[in-house]
Amino acid sequence: AALAVSPNGLSNISTRGLVLTGDNVMIGGFIIEGTVPKTGLIRGRGPSMSGAPFSIPGTLANPFLQIFSGQTLIAQNNDWQSSDPVCANAGFTCGAPAEISATGLDPCRPNPGQSVPPPGCAQEAAILITLPPGGYTAMESGVGGATGIGLIEVFEVDGGASPSKLINISTRGRVNSGDNVMIGGF
């Protein structure tokens, strides 16, 4: 069955902010409420925001995304078209790059206002994962200790197939001024 963004309720939550190193990486917490697992796509973005129509200066060149359940690392990704064994080893189901593309939300899809894939889209991080209800943490950092403006996004991609819902995101990160303020989206 093809995956589709949920037609009802909160289907996407995101936070854009400055991604630094150590205790100043960007950390997004999200909650799935309900009684059954929910499939979501979590993206850690940076370079694709540097081109039109966004043209954000100083984006994170190569995001690294990790997903935690409590203190346990359950999934991670560097470049979205590569798979990582952490997810299966932690007992979770993660989608392959072809399944990420099938959501219509892969990082190389042109953004609104673009006619070509965004710049640096192959370096973006993305994890398609089925999670039981509960709280989770997405941590975005830069490969090799790089810093810059990043974006953590969580999408519901199983449409109305699951009665469970994405209900919350909270983000911890450095808040500066100008282009380095923190911006939440839903």
Side-chain angles (χ1 to χ4, degrees):
L3 296 175
V5 174
S6 174
N8 299 307
L10 186 62
S11 63
N12 169 244
I13 49 182
S14 63
T15 304
R16 186 192 100 183
L18 187 58
V19 177
L20 298 174
T21 59
D23 290 339
N24 293 313
V25 298
M26 190 158 52
I27 301 172
F30 61 98
I31 297 172
I32 296 171
E33 180 180 71
T35 58
V36 298
K38 164 128 307 288
T39 301
L41 178 68
I42 299 102
R43 301 191 308 189
R45 299 188 81 175
S48 63
M49 296 183 294
S50 67
F54 309 113
S55 302
I56 298 169
T59 58
L60 186 63
N62 193 355
F64 181 65
L65 182 64
Q66 295 177 298
I67 309 298
F68 291 85
S69 175
Q71 299 294 315
T72 304
L73 176 66
I74 61 172
Q76 66 182 23
N77 183 259
N78 178 2
D79 299 330
W80 76 272
Q81 294 169 331
S82 64
S83 299
D84 188 275
V86 170
C87 188
N89 291 341
F92 289 84
T93 301
C94 283
E99 292 170 294
I100 292 172
S101 288
T103 67
L105 297 167
D106 74 68
C108 285
R109 295 281 170 142
N111 291 307
Q114 290 177 326
S115 58
V116 297
C121 66
Q123 280 71 49
E124 303 288 22
I127 298 169
L128 180 65
I129 188 168
T130 301
L131 296 167
Y136 299 92
T137 303
M139 184 173 4
E140 183 176 12
S141 59
V143 172
T147 62
I149 301 295
L151 181 69
I152 294 176
E153 303 172 295
V154 183
F155 294 88
E156 288 188 354
V157 295
D158 55 6
S162 169
S164 295
K165 298 286 180 205
L166 181 61
I167 63 163
N168 174 267
I169 189 171
S170 61
T171 307
R172 191 202 85 184
R174 179 66 60 102
V175 178
N176 286 356
S177 59
D179 289 333
N180 296 328
V181 297
M182 186 176 286
I183 301 170
F186 59 94

